[in-house]
Protein backbone atom coordinates (compact mmCIF):
# COMPACT_ATOMS: atom_id res chain seq x y z
CA UNK A 1 0.00 0.00 0.00
CA UNK A 2 2.80 2.40 1.02
CA UNK A 3 4.59 2.68 -2.33
CA UNK A 4 1.35 2.72 -4.34
CA UNK A 5 -0.04 5.68 -2.43
CA UNK A 6 -0.21 8.89 -4.42
CA UNK A 7 1.35 12.05 -3.00
CA UNK A 8 0.67 15.71 -3.55
CA UNK A 9 3.43 17.01 -5.80
CA UNK A 10 4.67 20.03 -3.87
CA UNK A 11 4.13 22.10 -0.75
CA UNK A 12 1.97 24.53 -2.70
CA UNK A 13 -0.14 21.64 -3.96
CA UNK A 14 -0.71 20.46 -0.37
CA UNK A 15 -1.70 23.94 0.75
CA UNK A 16 -4.01 24.49 -2.23
CA UNK A 17 -5.74 21.14 -1.77
CA UNK A 18 -6.20 21.63 1.98
CA UNK A 19 -7.22 25.26 1.56
CA UNK A 20 -9.62 24.03 -1.13
CA UNK A 21 -11.23 21.74 1.41
CA UNK A 22 -11.33 24.44 4.06
CA UNK A 23 -12.58 27.32 1.91
CA UNK A 24 -16.16 26.53 1.05
CA UNK A 25 -19.77 27.36 1.76
CA UNK A 26 -18.64 27.77 5.36
CA UNK A 27 -16.67 30.87 4.41
CA UNK A 28 -19.01 32.56 1.95
CA UNK A 29 -22.41 31.39 3.10
CA UNK A 30 -22.09 30.65 6.82
CA UNK A 31 -19.40 33.05 8.07
CA UNK A 32 -21.01 36.37 6.96
CA UNK A 33 -24.35 35.57 8.56
CA UNK A 34 -22.68 34.32 11.74
CA UNK A 35 -20.81 37.62 11.92
CA UNK A 36 -24.10 39.42 11.32
CA UNK A 37 -25.91 37.51 14.05
CA UNK A 38 -23.15 37.63 16.65
CA UNK A 39 -21.91 41.18 16.84
CA UNK A 40 -19.69 41.92 13.84
CA UNK A 41 -16.04 42.72 14.48
CA UNK A 42 -15.97 41.33 18.04
CA UNK A 43 -17.05 37.95 16.68
CA UNK A 44 -14.34 38.13 14.01
CA UNK A 45 -11.65 38.77 16.63
CA UNK A 46 -12.77 35.81 18.68
CA UNK A 47 -12.97 33.71 15.55
CA UNK A 48 -9.35 34.56 14.68
CA UNK A 49 -8.18 33.64 18.18
CA UNK A 50 -10.20 30.41 18.17
CA UNK A 51 -8.68 29.42 14.83
CA UNK A 52 -5.09 30.08 15.87
CA UNK A 53 -5.24 28.73 19.42
CA UNK A 54 -7.58 25.77 19.08
CA UNK A 55 -8.46 24.82 15.51
CA UNK A 56 -4.94 25.03 14.11
CA UNK A 57 -3.56 22.55 16.69
CA UNK A 58 -6.48 20.21 15.91
CA UNK A 59 -5.73 20.57 12.21
CA UNK A 60 -2.08 19.66 12.84
CA UNK A 61 -3.26 16.55 14.73
CA UNK A 62 -5.39 15.41 11.81
CA UNK A 63 -2.60 15.90 9.26
CA UNK A 64 -0.22 14.06 11.59
CA UNK A 65 -2.58 11.10 11.99
CA UNK A 66 -2.97 10.88 8.20
CA UNK A 67 0.67 11.21 7.29
CA UNK A 68 2.06 8.98 10.01
CA UNK A 69 -0.34 6.17 9.18
CA UNK A 70 -0.32 6.69 5.37
CA UNK A 71 -3.88 5.36 5.48
CA UNK A 72 -7.29 6.69 4.62
CA UNK A 73 -9.20 8.11 7.61
CA UNK A 74 -11.03 4.82 8.22
CA UNK A 75 -7.80 2.95 8.88
CA UNK A 76 -5.56 5.71 10.18
CA UNK A 77 -5.93 5.44 13.96
CA UNK A 78 -6.35 1.64 13.96
CA UNK A 79 -3.05 1.39 12.06
CA UNK A 80 -1.23 3.63 14.51
CA UNK A 81 -2.64 1.93 17.61
CA UNK A 82 -4.04 -1.49 16.73
CA UNK A 83 -6.65 -2.72 19.17
CA UNK A 84 -7.63 0.70 20.50
CA UNK A 85 -11.42 0.85 20.49
CA UNK A 86 -11.43 4.64 20.27
CA UNK A 87 -9.52 4.37 17.01
CA UNK A 88 -12.14 2.03 15.55
CA UNK A 89 -14.96 4.36 16.59
CA UNK A 90 -13.06 7.18 14.88
CA UNK A 91 -12.64 5.02 11.78
CA UNK A 92 -16.36 4.38 11.59
CA UNK A 93 -17.22 8.06 12.10
CA UNK A 94 -14.64 8.98 9.48
CA UNK A 95 -16.70 7.23 6.83
CA UNK A 96 -20.15 8.13 8.13
CA UNK A 97 -19.59 11.87 8.58
CA UNK A 98 -18.11 12.71 5.17
CA UNK A 99 -20.72 10.66 3.34
CA UNK A 100 -23.64 12.34 5.12
CA UNK A 101 -22.02 15.76 4.87
CA UNK A 102 -21.19 15.31 1.18
CA UNK A 103 -24.80 14.31 0.47
CA UNK A 104 -26.40 17.50 1.74
CA UNK A 105 -23.45 19.78 0.97
CA UNK A 106 -23.98 18.84 -2.64
CA UNK A 107 -27.61 20.02 -2.46
CA UNK A 108 -26.46 23.49 -1.41
CA UNK A 109 -23.66 23.26 -3.98
CA UNK A 110 -26.46 22.64 -6.50
CA UNK A 111 -28.27 25.79 -5.33
CA UNK A 112 -25.06 27.77 -5.94
CA UNK A 113 -24.81 26.28 -9.40
CA UNK A 114 -28.42 27.28 -10.13
CA UNK A 115 -27.71 30.83 -8.97
CA UNK A 116 -24.60 30.92 -11.10
CA UNK A 117 -26.76 29.97 -14.13
CA UNK A 118 -29.33 32.58 -13.15
CA UNK A 119 -26.61 35.22 -12.85
CA UNK A 120 -25.10 34.22 -16.20
CA UNK A 121 -28.47 34.39 -17.95
CA UNK A 122 -29.00 37.88 -16.50
CA UNK A 123 -32.09 36.80 -14.56
CA UNK A 124 -30.79 37.83 -11.13
CA UNK A 125 -30.17 41.37 -12.23
CA UNK A 126 -33.37 41.63 -14.29
CA UNK A 127 -35.79 40.41 -11.63
CA UNK A 128 -37.37 42.99 -9.32
CA UNK A 129 -36.08 43.01 -5.73
CA UNK A 130 -39.56 42.05 -4.54
CA UNK A 131 -39.38 38.79 -6.49
CA UNK A 132 -36.12 37.55 -5.00
CA UNK A 133 -37.49 35.63 -2.03
CA UNK A 134 -40.30 34.04 -4.03
CA UNK A 135 -37.83 32.95 -6.71
CA UNK A 136 -35.65 31.26 -4.08
CA UNK A 137 -38.55 29.58 -2.31
CA UNK A 138 -40.13 28.41 -5.53
CA UNK A 139 -36.79 26.99 -6.64
CA UNK A 140 -35.95 25.02 -3.50
CA UNK A 141 -39.46 23.70 -3.06
CA UNK A 142 -39.87 22.51 -6.63
CA UNK A 143 -38.96 18.83 -6.92
CA UNK A 144 -36.95 18.66 -10.13
CA UNK A 145 -34.75 21.71 -10.50
CA UNK A 146 -32.83 21.39 -7.22
CA UNK A 147 -32.54 17.64 -7.76
CA UNK A 148 -31.00 18.20 -11.17
CA UNK A 149 -28.51 20.80 -9.95
CA UNK A 150 -27.62 18.58 -6.97
CA UNK A 151 -26.81 15.65 -9.26
CA UNK A 152 -24.94 17.88 -11.70
CA UNK A 153 -22.84 19.36 -8.91
CA UNK A 154 -22.16 15.94 -7.39
CA UNK A 155 -21.33 14.52 -10.83
CA UNK A 156 -18.72 17.23 -11.47
CA UNK A 157 -17.10 16.54 -8.10
CA UNK A 158 -17.16 12.75 -8.49
CA UNK A 159 -15.57 13.15 -11.92
CA UNK A 160 -12.68 15.19 -10.48
CA UNK A 161 -12.16 12.66 -7.67
CA UNK A 162 -12.27 9.71 -10.08
CA UNK A 163 -9.31 11.21 -11.96
CA UNK A 164 -7.10 10.74 -8.92
CA UNK A 165 -5.26 12.76 -6.31
CA UNK A 166 -2.66 14.34 -8.57
CA UNK A 167 -4.43 14.76 -11.88
CA UNK A 168 -7.86 15.41 -10.39
CA UNK A 169 -7.83 17.02 -6.97
CA UNK A 170 -4.40 18.68 -7.12
CA UNK A 171 -4.86 20.12 -10.61
CA UNK A 172 -8.33 21.49 -9.90
CA UNK A 173 -7.32 23.09 -6.59
CA UNK A 174 -4.21 24.71 -8.03
CA UNK A 175 -6.31 26.64 -10.53
CA UNK A 176 -9.36 27.28 -8.43
CA UNK A 177 -7.84 28.68 -5.22
CA UNK A 178 -6.09 31.66 -6.91
CA UNK A 179 -9.23 32.24 -9.00
CA UNK A 180 -11.36 32.26 -5.84
CA UNK A 181 -9.23 34.91 -4.18
CA UNK A 182 -9.36 37.00 -7.34
CA UNK A 183 -13.16 36.72 -7.59
CA UNK A 184 -13.81 37.57 -3.95
CA UNK A 185 -11.50 40.59 -4.08
CA UNK A 186 -13.39 41.76 -7.19
CA UNK A 187 -16.69 41.43 -5.34
CA UNK A 188 -15.20 43.26 -2.36
CA UNK A 189 -14.21 46.22 -4.52
CA UNK A 190 -17.72 46.36 -6.00
CA UNK A 191 -19.27 46.12 -2.57
CA UNK A 192 -17.24 48.82 -0.81
CA UNK A 193 -17.74 51.31 -3.63
CA UNK A 194 -21.55 51.12 -3.38
CA UNK A 195 -23.18 54.20 -1.88
CA UNK A 196 -24.04 53.55 1.77
CA UNK A 197 -21.54 50.74 2.21
CA UNK A 198 -19.26 52.59 4.66
CA UNK A 199 -21.50 51.60 7.56
CA UNK A 200 -20.96 47.93 6.65
CA UNK A 201 -17.19 48.32 6.61
CA UNK A 202 -17.42 50.00 10.03
CA UNK A 203 -19.49 47.09 11.30
CA UNK A 204 -16.77 44.68 10.18
CA UNK A 205 -13.90 46.54 11.85
CA UNK A 206 -15.31 48.10 15.05
CA UNK A 207 -15.77 45.48 17.75
CA UNK A 208 -18.74 45.66 20.10
CA UNK A 209 -17.83 43.31 22.94
CA UNK A 210 -21.17 43.74 24.68
CA UNK A 211 -22.60 41.23 22.17
CA UNK A 212 -20.17 38.50 23.18
CA UNK A 213 -21.31 35.75 25.55
CA UNK A 214 -20.69 32.04 26.08
CA UNK A 215 -22.93 31.20 23.16
CA UNK A 216 -21.12 33.43 20.68
CA UNK A 217 -17.80 31.99 21.87
CA UNK A 218 -19.09 28.49 21.19
CA UNK A 219 -20.40 29.57 17.78
CA UNK A 220 -17.05 31.15 16.86
CA UNK A 221 -15.20 27.98 17.79
CA UNK A 222 -17.72 25.71 16.08
CA UNK A 223 -17.60 27.83 12.93
CA UNK A 224 -13.83 27.72 12.91
CA UNK A 225 -13.84 23.90 13.20
CA UNK A 226 -16.35 23.61 10.39
CA UNK A 227 -14.46 26.05 8.23
CA UNK A 228 -11.17 24.18 8.62
CA UNK A 229 -12.94 20.91 7.67
CA UNK A 230 -12.10 19.31 11.01
CA UNK A 231 -13.71 16.13 12.26
CA UNK A 232 -14.81 14.85 8.86
CA UNK A 233 -11.96 12.55 7.84
CA UNK A 234 -11.03 14.90 5.00
CA UNK A 235 -7.88 16.39 6.50
CA UNK A 236 -6.69 13.01 7.80
CA UNK A 237 -7.12 11.57 4.30
CA UNK A 238 -5.39 14.52 2.62
CA UNK A 239 -2.69 14.24 5.30
CA UNK A 240 -2.00 10.71 4.11
CA UNK A 241 -1.00 12.14 0.71
CA UNK A 242 1.49 14.61 2.21
CA UNK A 243 5.09 13.67 1.47
CA UNK A 244 7.32 12.60 4.34
CA UNK A 245 9.67 15.50 3.58
CA UNK A 246 6.91 18.14 3.92
CA UNK A 247 6.72 20.47 6.92
CA UNK A 248 3.33 19.76 8.56
CA UNK A 249 3.31 22.81 10.82
CA UNK A 250 4.08 25.23 7.99
CA UNK A 251 1.53 23.74 5.57
CA UNK A 252 -1.16 23.62 8.25
CA UNK A 253 -0.53 27.20 9.35
CA UNK A 254 -0.59 28.40 5.74
CA UNK A 255 -3.91 26.62 5.22
CA UNK A 256 -5.45 28.08 8.38
CA UNK A 257 -4.31 31.59 7.48
CA UNK A 258 -5.68 31.32 3.91
CA UNK A 259 -8.99 30.11 5.27
CA UNK A 260 -9.15 32.96 7.79
CA UNK A 261 -8.20 35.51 5.18
CA UNK A 262 -10.80 34.21 2.78
CA UNK A 263 -13.54 34.27 5.40
CA UNK A 264 -12.72 37.87 6.28
CA UNK A 265 -12.57 38.90 2.62
CA UNK A 266 -15.93 37.21 2.05
CA UNK A 267 -17.38 39.05 5.06
CA UNK A 268 -15.99 42.32 3.71
CA UNK A 269 -17.47 41.55 0.32
CA UNK A 270 -20.92 40.71 1.67
CA UNK A 271 -21.53 43.03 4.65
CA UNK A 272 -20.96 46.44 3.00
CA UNK A 273 -23.36 45.41 0.22
CA UNK A 274 -25.89 44.31 2.83
CA UNK A 275 -25.69 47.70 4.52
CA UNK A 276 -25.78 49.52 1.18
CA UNK A 277 -29.07 47.78 0.44
CA UNK A 278 -30.42 48.64 3.90
CA UNK A 279 -30.85 45.02 5.04
CA UNK A 280 -30.49 43.71 8.60
CA UNK A 281 -27.03 42.11 8.96
CA UNK A 282 -28.44 39.26 11.06
CA UNK A 283 -30.55 37.99 8.15
CA UNK A 284 -29.53 34.36 8.80
CA UNK A 285 -28.90 31.52 6.38
CA UNK A 286 -30.88 33.23 3.61
CA UNK A 287 -28.15 35.84 3.35
CA UNK A 288 -26.40 34.45 0.33
CA UNK A 289 -29.33 33.19 -1.72
CA UNK A 290 -31.80 35.95 -0.88
CA UNK A 291 -29.98 39.02 0.36
CA UNK A 292 -27.21 38.98 -2.22
CA UNK A 293 -29.53 38.52 -5.24
CA UNK A 294 -31.68 41.28 -3.73
CA UNK A 295 -28.66 43.57 -3.78
CA UNK A 296 -27.76 42.71 -7.35
CA UNK A 297 -31.31 43.20 -8.54
CA UNK A 298 -31.78 46.52 -6.70
CA UNK A 299 -28.53 47.91 -8.03
CA UNK A 300 -28.93 46.28 -11.40
CA UNK A 301 -31.26 49.00 -12.65
CA UNK A 302 -28.50 51.62 -12.45
CA UNK A 303 -25.43 49.48 -13.04
CA UNK A 304 -26.69 46.57 -15.16
CA UNK A 305 -23.40 45.44 -16.66
CA UNK A 306 -21.22 45.73 -13.55
CA UNK A 307 -23.93 44.09 -11.45
CA UNK A 308 -24.28 41.20 -13.87
CA UNK A 309 -20.53 40.63 -13.99
CA UNK A 310 -20.29 40.76 -10.20
CA UNK A 311 -23.27 38.45 -9.75
CA UNK A 312 -21.63 35.93 -12.07
CA UNK A 313 -18.29 36.26 -10.25
CA UNK A 314 -19.91 35.92 -6.85
CA UNK A 315 -21.93 32.79 -7.60
CA UNK A 316 -19.05 31.27 -9.54
CA UNK A 317 -16.87 31.80 -6.47
CA UNK A 318 -19.38 30.06 -4.21
CA UNK A 319 -19.77 27.17 -6.62
CA UNK A 320 -16.04 26.62 -7.07
CA UNK A 321 -15.39 26.93 -3.35
CA UNK A 322 -18.11 24.35 -2.72
CA UNK A 323 -16.63 21.99 -5.34
CA UNK A 324 -13.17 21.93 -3.74
CA UNK A 325 -14.73 21.18 -0.35
CA UNK A 326 -17.05 18.52 -1.72
CA UNK A 327 -14.20 16.70 -3.45
CA UNK A 328 -12.30 16.46 -0.17
CA UNK A 329 -15.35 14.75 1.35
CA UNK A 330 -15.87 12.38 -1.58
CA UNK A 331 -12.16 11.50 -1.50
CA UNK A 332 -12.56 10.06 2.01
CA UNK A 333 -15.24 7.65 0.85
CA UNK A 334 -13.58 6.85 -2.48
CA UNK A 335 -10.21 6.10 -0.89
CA UNK A 336 -11.99 3.94 1.70
CA UNK A 337 -13.63 1.80 -1.00
CA UNK A 338 -10.40 1.73 -3.00
CA UNK A 339 -8.14 0.76 -0.08
CA UNK A 340 -10.47 -1.59 1.76
CA UNK A 341 -12.18 -3.42 -1.09
CA UNK A 342 -9.64 -2.92 -3.86
CA UNK A 343 -12.20 -1.23 -6.14
CA UNK A 344 -10.81 1.04 -8.83
CA UNK A 345 -11.07 4.79 -8.22
CA UNK A 346 -13.56 5.11 -11.05
CA UNK A 347 -15.90 2.43 -9.68
CA UNK A 348 -15.51 3.77 -6.16
CA UNK A 349 -16.47 7.23 -7.41
CA UNK A 350 -19.50 5.85 -9.21
CA UNK A 351 -20.69 4.06 -6.06
CA UNK A 352 -20.17 7.14 -3.92
CA UNK A 353 -21.99 9.24 -6.51
CA UNK A 354 -24.99 6.91 -6.44
CA UNK A 355 -25.13 6.75 -2.65
CA UNK A 356 -24.66 10.47 -1.99
CA UNK A 357 -26.94 11.22 -4.93
CA UNK A 358 -29.77 9.27 -3.28
CA UNK A 359 -29.28 10.58 0.24
CA UNK A 360 -28.86 14.12 -1.11
CA UNK A 361 -32.04 13.69 -3.17
CA UNK A 362 -34.00 13.05 0.03
CA UNK A 363 -32.43 16.18 1.55
CA UNK A 364 -33.29 18.20 -1.51
CA UNK A 365 -36.89 16.99 -1.46
CA UNK A 366 -37.15 17.96 2.22
CA UNK A 367 -37.85 21.53 1.04
CA UNK A 368 -40.59 20.40 -1.33
CA UNK A 369 -42.60 17.16 -1.54
CA UNK A 370 -41.08 15.78 1.70
CA UNK A 371 -41.49 19.02 3.66
CA UNK A 372 -44.04 17.44 5.98
CA UNK A 373 -41.53 14.81 7.08
CA UNK A 374 -39.80 16.35 10.08
CA UNK A 375 -37.73 14.99 12.95
CA UNK A 376 -37.62 17.12 16.10
CA UNK A 377 -39.01 19.97 14.03
CA UNK A 378 -36.26 19.82 11.41
CA UNK A 379 -36.32 18.83 7.77
CA UNK A 380 -33.79 16.22 6.64
CA UNK A 381 -31.13 18.66 5.38
CA UNK A 382 -31.29 20.78 8.52
CA UNK A 383 -31.23 17.66 10.66
CA UNK A 384 -28.13 16.26 8.92
CA UNK A 385 -26.42 19.64 9.12
CA UNK A 386 -27.16 19.91 12.82
CA UNK A 387 -26.07 16.34 13.46
CA UNK A 388 -22.78 16.71 11.56
CA UNK A 389 -21.68 20.17 12.58
CA UNK A 390 -22.97 20.22 16.16
CA UNK A 391 -22.39 16.61 17.18
CA UNK A 392 -20.43 14.22 14.99
CA UNK A 393 -17.68 16.50 13.66
CA UNK A 394 -16.98 17.81 17.14
CA UNK A 395 -16.91 14.28 18.49
CA UNK A 396 -14.47 13.11 15.84
CA UNK A 397 -12.25 16.16 16.44
CA UNK A 398 -12.32 15.40 20.14
CA UNK A 399 -11.25 11.82 19.51
CA UNK A 400 -8.43 13.01 17.22
CA UNK A 401 -6.91 15.34 19.80
CA UNK A 402 -7.30 12.81 22.60
CA UNK A 403 -5.68 10.21 20.37
CA UNK A 404 -2.68 12.40 19.60
CA UNK A 405 -2.43 13.89 23.10
CA UNK A 406 -2.82 10.68 25.08
CA UNK A 407 -2.20 7.66 22.83
CA UNK A 408 0.18 8.55 20.03
CA UNK A 409 2.88 9.66 22.46
CA UNK A 410 4.77 12.93 22.72
CA UNK A 411 7.92 11.56 21.10
CA UNK A 412 6.04 10.17 18.11
CA UNK A 413 4.39 13.53 17.62
CA UNK A 414 7.73 15.33 17.81
CA UNK A 415 9.20 12.81 15.39
CA UNK A 416 6.40 13.35 12.85
CA UNK A 417 6.40 17.14 13.11
CA UNK A 418 10.19 17.38 12.81
CA UNK A 419 10.35 14.73 10.04
CA UNK A 420 12.46 12.40 12.15
CA UNK A 421 14.57 15.23 13.57
CA UNK A 422 15.54 16.67 10.19
CA UNK A 423 13.50 19.87 10.56
CA UNK A 424 14.25 22.45 13.23
CA UNK A 425 11.44 22.35 15.79
CA UNK A 426 11.97 24.65 18.78
CA UNK A 427 11.32 23.02 22.14
CA UNK A 428 9.20 26.00 23.25
CA UNK A 429 6.98 25.92 20.17
CA UNK A 430 6.55 22.17 20.39
CA UNK A 431 5.63 22.28 24.09
CA UNK A 432 3.04 25.01 23.51
CA UNK A 433 1.55 23.03 20.65
CA UNK A 434 1.50 19.85 22.67
CA UNK A 435 -0.21 21.63 25.55
CA UNK A 436 -2.80 23.08 23.16
CA UNK A 437 -3.47 19.60 21.73
CA UNK A 438 -3.57 17.74 25.01
CA UNK A 439 -5.46 20.21 27.19
CA UNK A 440 -6.75 23.36 25.48
CA UNK A 441 -8.46 21.70 22.51
CA UNK A 442 -10.32 18.93 24.39
CA UNK A 443 -11.53 21.39 27.02
CA UNK A 444 -12.61 23.88 24.35
CA UNK A 445 -14.55 21.17 22.48
CA UNK A 446 -16.16 20.00 25.71
CA UNK A 447 -17.20 23.59 26.38
CA UNK A 448 -18.90 23.82 22.99
CA UNK A 449 -20.86 20.67 23.81
CA UNK A 450 -21.86 22.07 27.19
CA UNK A 451 -22.96 25.39 25.72
CA UNK A 452 -24.86 23.77 22.87
CA UNK A 453 -26.64 21.13 24.91
CA UNK A 454 -26.81 22.25 28.49
CA UNK A 455 -26.87 26.05 28.63
N1 LIG B 1 -14.74 23.54 5.36
C1 LIG B 1 -15.83 23.44 4.44
C2 LIG B 1 -16.49 24.80 4.33
O1 LIG B 1 -16.07 25.74 4.91
C3 LIG B 1 -16.83 22.42 4.88
C4 LIG B 1 -16.22 21.07 5.08
C5 LIG B 1 -16.25 20.49 6.31
C6 LIG B 1 -15.57 20.43 4.03
C7 LIG B 1 -15.65 19.26 6.54
C8 LIG B 1 -14.96 19.21 4.23
C9 LIG B 1 -14.99 18.62 5.49
O2 LIG B 1 -17.46 24.93 3.64
Amino acid sequence: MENKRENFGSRLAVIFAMAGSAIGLGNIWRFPFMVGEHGGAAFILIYILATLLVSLPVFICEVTIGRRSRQTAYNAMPTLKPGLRLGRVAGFLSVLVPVVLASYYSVIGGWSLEYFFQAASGRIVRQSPAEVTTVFETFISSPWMPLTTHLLFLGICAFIVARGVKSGIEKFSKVSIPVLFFLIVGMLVYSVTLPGSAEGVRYMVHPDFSQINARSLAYALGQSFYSLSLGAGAIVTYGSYVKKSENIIVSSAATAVSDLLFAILAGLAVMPAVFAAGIEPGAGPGLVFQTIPFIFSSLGANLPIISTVCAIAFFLAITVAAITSEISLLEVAVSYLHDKFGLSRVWSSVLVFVFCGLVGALCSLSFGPLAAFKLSGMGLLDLFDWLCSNVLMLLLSLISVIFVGFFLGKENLRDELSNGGTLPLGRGLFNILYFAIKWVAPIAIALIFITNFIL
Side-chain angles (χ1 to χ4, degrees):
M1 194 60 61
E2 166 83 19
N3 45 9
K4 276 201 286 171
R5 200 160 192 84
E6 278 191 276
N7 277 331
F8 289 125
S10 63
R11 169 171 305 171
L12 218 53
V14 171
I15 296 171
F16 280 158
M18 290 191 175
S21 172
I23 297 172
L25 294 166
N27 300 60
I28 314 184
W29 167 68
R30 223 162 173 248
F31 182 72
F33 82 75
M34 285 263 173
V35 172
E37 282 177 347
H38 297 284
F43 182 84
I44 299 181
L45 276 181
I46 292 171
Y47 176 75
I48 295 176
L49 285 180
T51 302
L52 298 178
L53 300 179
V54 185
S55 309
L56 177 57
V58 182
F59 193 93
I60 292 175
C61 281
E62 293 206 356
V63 181
T64 301
I65 294 172
R67 191 178 72 167
R68 198 162 181 84
S69 65
R70 311 286 287 155
Q71 297 285 331
T72 181
Y74 174 77
N75 255 341
M77 288 187 215
T79 302
L80 294 173
K81 275 269 165 233
L84 182 71
R85 181 167 293 156
L86 198 67
R88 288 209 302 276
V89 173
F92 169 74
L93 286 176
S94 302
V95 177
L96 179 73
V97 176
V99 166
V100 174
L101 187 49
S103 304
Y104 76 78
Y105 202 86
S106 158
V107 174
I108 307 179
W111 297 355
S112 322
L113 203 56
E114 163 70 16
Y115 271 73
F116 167 67
F117 293 145
Q118 286 197 19
S121 70
R123 174 164 179 195
I124 289 200
V125 173
R126 268 198 322 267
Q127 72 195 355
S128 80
E131 282 172 319
V132 169
T133 303
T134 335
V135 167
F136 178 66
E137 280 165 2
T138 314
F139 166 65
I140 61 168
S141 59
S142 78
W144 295 112
M145 273 313 284
L147 258 186
T148 315
T149 52
H150 152 60
L151 292 177
L152 183 59
F153 178 88
L154 188 63
I156 297 172
C157 299
F159 177 76
I160 298 172
V161 172
R163 293 182 54 92
V165 175
K166 245 184 153 54
S167 29
I169 299 176
E170 178 174 325
K171 255 197 188 154
F172 187 78
S173 315
K174 264 188 170 163
V175 179
S176 58
I177 293 297
V179 170
L180 272 179
F181 272 91
F182 176 78
L183 292 175
I184 207 75
V185 170
M187 171 73 190
L188 192 155
V189 172
Y190 167 80
S191 182
V192 296
T193 47
L194 294 173
S197 64
E199 193 48 34
V201 178
R202 226 187 73 81
Y203 184 80
M204 291 292 291
V205 296
H206 280 282
D208 171 9
F209 286 101
S210 66
Q211 300 243 18
I212 296 300
N213 50 32
R215 203 155 265 282
S216 37
L217 284 179
Y219 274 116
L221 202 54
Q223 166 66 15
S224 138
F225 269 59
Y226 182 87
S227 190
L228 276 181
S229 304
L230 297 171
I235 300 303
V236 173
T237 303
Y238 274 9
S240 73
Y241 304 131
V242 173
K243 280 189 192 149
K244 286 288 183 196
S245 55
E246 192 48 71
N247 188 329
I248 292 184
I249 299 186
V250 170
S251 322
S252 304
T255 306
V257 170
S258 329
D259 185 53
L260 264 180
L261 194 66
F262 195 88
I264 294 172
L265 288 175
L268 277 172
V270 169
M271 275 307 158
V274 167
F275 275 80
I279 296 170
E280 254 297 289
L287 197 62
V288 160
F289 295 107
Q290 297 179 67
T291 312
I292 296 291
F294 178 87
I295 293 163
F296 286 129
S297 76
S298 359
L299 301 163
N302 301 330
L303 301 163
I305 297 185
I306 296 194
S307 297
T308 306
V309 171
C310 284
I312 294 174
F314 185 73
F315 286 105
L316 180 64
I318 302 190
T319 309
V320 171
I323 291 178
T324 50
S325 297
E326 176 82 5
I327 58 182
S328 74
L329 291 164
L330 298 184
E331 175 60 23
V332 186
V334 167
S335 63
Y336 162 73
L337 292 175
H338 177 67
D339 289 1
K340 185 157 166 84
F341 301 104
L343 289 180
S344 73
R345 282 191 70 92
V346 172
W347 274 112
S348 308
S349 306
V350 171
L351 278 184
V352 172
F353 171 80
V354 171
F355 189 83
C356 293
L358 286 173
V359 178
L362 294 177
C363 294
S364 178
L365 294 172
S366 73
F367 293 94
L370 297 183
F373 178 73
K374 289 208 172 354
L375 277 171
S376 27
M378 283 186 266
L380 205 55
L381 189 145
D382 294 335
L383 182 74
F384 282 166
D385 183 40
W386 177 84
L387 198 64
C388 286
S389 46
N390 287 332
V391 185
L392 299 177
M393 290 165 79
L394 291 175
L395 190 63
L396 191 49
S397 303
L398 183 63
I399 298 179
S400 305
V401 283
I402 291 180
F403 181 83
V404 172
F406 292 87
F407 295 101
L408 183 67
K410 194 169 176 177
E411 281 323 303
N412 283 333
L413 178 65
R414 192 199 306 274
D415 181 65
E416 196 58 35
L417 294 181
S418 66
N419 295 354
T422 56
L423 290 177
L425 175 62
R427 186 173 275 280
L429 172 72
F430 178 73
N431 284 335
I432 294 174
L433 185 62
Y434 189 64
F435 182 77
I437 291 172
K438 193 162 180 167
W439 302 111
V440 180
I443 294 175
I445 299 172
L447 286 178
I448 311 186
F449 271 122
I450 294 174
T451 334
N452 284 353
F453 291 102
I454 302 179
L455 293 187

